[in-house]
Amino acid sequence: MINPMLTNEYENEILNLIDNRDEFTRSDLQGIVTVLVNKIMNEGFKVISNQKRTE
């Protein structure tokens, strides 16, 4: 399991987006979600890379 401290930032961003979804158009939401997914994937690649180096 990944350390919750690593996921907390993204969880908060997603929950904030859900709480404020009425302030955005569907297109805006798609762009924001795309950025979040890319950030999460980049962080995941870093974690995997670091794990491989320490094995």
Side-chain angles (χ1 to χ4, degrees), residues 27-49:
S27 179
D28 291 339
L29 289 170
Q30 183 177 8
I32 295 167
V33 167
T34 298
V35 169
L36 282 171
V37 167
N38 283 318
K39 288 169 60 174
I40 291 166
M41 290 180 68
N42 281 329
E43 190 63 33
F45 288 135
K46 288 179 192 175
V47 169
I48 291 168
S49 179

Side-chain angles (χ1 to χ4, degrees), residues 1-32:
M1 180 165 170
I2 295 176
N3 182 341
M5 294 300 291
L6 294 174
T7 61
N8 187 50
E9 172 189 348
Y10 304 109
E11 292 169 13
N12 289 337
E13 285 188 59
I14 292 167
L15 291 172
N16 187 42
L17 183 58
I18 290 168
D19 290 342
N20 297 297
R21 68 185 174 273
D22 294 336
E23 297 178 20
F24 302 102
T25 66
R26 183 171 178 84
S27 179
D28 291 339
L29 289 170
Q30 183 177 8
I32 295 167

